[in-house]
Every structure is written in structure tokens, then in C-alpha cells.
Amino acid sequence: MIQALIFDMDGTLFQTDKILELSLDDTFEHLRSLHQWDTVTPIDTYRKIMGVPLPQVWETLLPNHSNEVREQTNAYFLERLIGNIKSGKGALYPNVKEVLRHLKENHCSIYIASNGLTEYLKAIVSYYNLDKWVTETFSIQQIESLNKSDLVKSIIKKYNITKAAVVGDRLSDIKAAKDNGFVSIGCNFDFAREDELAQADMVIDDLMELKEILPKLR
């Protein structure tokens, strides 16, 4: 019997693209004002690496900048993301609350395991009241290795989970499931890639499909 579902956040529960470009533009405009950037915002590059931990993001987007500048940029970007969330410019994917409510009513524990930073995740959970259904939200910041498989392992250990599924849109989610002996459910949403989803045990196009899948897993 499946005891729990462990969800990714960005590109799975939260439509990150609604605030991503806006927040990146804010951030790179800030860098331009400091004369640390002189060209367009690299939104396409970011989309290709969406889902990796933020330190890796800034190594990719700012390859010729110092670690100090990357850290300052990361802090500013996080500030803008949170500001845009709190001002209602983001959105959950369709049916998120209905599905989470259904899972909770059917005695399935719900967790979030995300490569997002702690304060960013708190802003989303708080704004959309997700803690009504989610037992706990885990950030990659809590794991020294910055590896999602290790993050999921920490959830297993804390809550003594033996049967679960990991739901997410990227390869790190699929690997996190497989590395821990769980079912992997790939989400064919905005940032998903066909070659990565091909490695999942099953693929969904809408979170509502989880209502039909759960009884089969049990």
C-alpha cells in the first residue's frame, strides 16, 4: 500500500513560469544597473536547466562572475521571487488543491521535496495554504549533497516511509524515486522533457489522474 506521495514543487505543483521570467528580468535589470550585465536576460538558458539547485543555476547563467556576485544575485532573485508570489503573480497548476484534498481524505500522507530554497518554498506554501494538506515541505538546502535522492531519503528516515511514489517533472524527481525504491510518476508539464519522462514508471498530463492512479498503486 502506498503510504505517501512526495511532490516536486516547481513545474509540478507551482507554475513557476508565471513568475520566472518576471523575476529574472528584475534580477538582470538590477545587474545592469550595477554595470555587471550588458545584454538580454538569459531566460532560455534558465529554462533548459530548470530544476537544478540554485548555486548551479548561477554558475551557468553567470559563468564569468565571482562567487560573491553570484551569491548576491541569488539573494536578489530570491527576494523578487518571493515578492512576486506574495503579490499573487504566480499560480498553482490546475486541480492541485482538489487532488491534495482527495489524497489527504484517503489517508495518503503528502510531502514536498524541492530543489527550491527554504524561504521561497515557505512563501508558496503560505500564500496557497498548502499546509492544510502537506505534512512537511523539504528544501534541497537541508541536504549537504544538494542531491534530491538524498533529500527524499531524509523524508523516508524521518517519517518511516516504506511505500511511496515521487511525483515530478524532471529527471531528478524520477531518479529520487528509483534510488529509493519508490514508484516514479512523471508530470508532462511546462518544463518536462520527453527523454527524461521516458524513464518514469508512469506519466500524467494532469494532476487529476492521480485520483485514478492511487487505488491501482494500493
Side-chain angles (χ1 to χ4, degrees):
M1 176 182 286
I2 291 290
Q3 297 170 277
L5 285 184
I6 302 171
F7 287 88
D8 175 43
M9 179 66 90
D10 291 315
T12 298
L13 296 179
F14 185 66
Q15 295 187 60
T16 316
D17 59 328
K18 289 190 178 296
I19 61 167
L20 174 64
E21 187 168 351
L22 181 62
S23 301
L24 267 184
D25 273 336
D26 290 345
T27 301
F28 278 86
E29 184 58 37
H30 177 65
L31 287 175
R32 292 182 197 101
S33 73
L34 299 175
H35 305 291
Q36 293 175 341
W37 192 259
D38 60 3
T39 184
V40 297
T41 301
I43 183 69
D44 290 338
T45 302
Y46 189 83
R47 286 182 177 275
K48 291 175 184 175
I49 59 172
M50 182 68 190
V52 305
L54 277 175
Q56 292 175 233
V57 167
W58 298 114
E59 287 174 13
T60 303
L61 298 186
L62 301 175
N64 301 317
H65 291 67
S66 67
N67 284 333
E68 182 181 6
V69 169
R70 290 173 188 163
E71 289 172 5
Q72 292 169 350
T73 303
N74 183 54
Y76 189 87
F77 181 57
L78 180 62
E79 180 184 308
R80 295 311 309 139
L81 282 171
I82 291 173
N84 286 323
I85 291 165
K86 291 182 175 179
S87 63
K89 294 176 181 175
L92 298 175
Y93 277 96
N95 307 311
V96 165
K97 291 188 175 183
E98 180 179 344
V99 168
L100 295 185
R101 185 183 304 113
H102 173 81
L103 294 173
K104 188 78 171 179
E105 289 172 353
N106 283 271
H107 311 292
C108 185
S109 298
I110 301 165
Y111 305 91
I112 293 172
S114 171
N115 282 335
L117 300 182
T118 302
E119 293 304 312
Y120 165 73
L121 297 172
K122 282 182 180 177
I124 298 173
V125 170
S126 174
Y127 187 83
Y128 296 102
N129 298 309
L130 296 182
D131 51 7
K132 288 197 294 186
W133 307 288
V134 177
T135 301
E136 188 172 352
T137 298
F138 292 80
S139 164
I140 202 70
Q141 275 185 297
Q142 298 168 238
I143 296 295
E144 188 175 348
S145 67
L146 298 181
N147 183 296
K148 185 169 278 194
S149 295
D150 293 338
L151 184 62
V152 168
K153 187 180 294 183
S154 73
I155 301 174
I156 296 168
K157 184 176 180 181
K158 180 171 182 178
Y159 287 97
N160 195 30
I161 300 169
T162 56
K163 301 285 186 180
V166 178
V167 184
D169 65 318
R170 298 306 302 268
L171 185 59
S172 61
D173 305 303
I174 296 166
K175 282 181 59 62
K178 293 183 179 298
D179 289 347
N180 288 286
F182 291 163
V183 174
S184 58
I185 302 175
C187 296
N188 189 22
F189 299 168
D190 295 309
F191 300 105
R193 293 173 50 172
E194 187 175 346
D195 60 326
E196 296 182 356
L197 291 178
Q199 300 181 52
D201 294 316
M202 57 190 74
V203 177
I204 60 174
D205 296 307
D206 189 301
L207 289 169
M208 285 291 281
E209 294 176 51
L210 292 175
K211 294 174 72 172
E212 298 177 8
I213 288 173
L214 187 61
K216 297 174 184 177
L217 294 178
R218 289 183 165 180

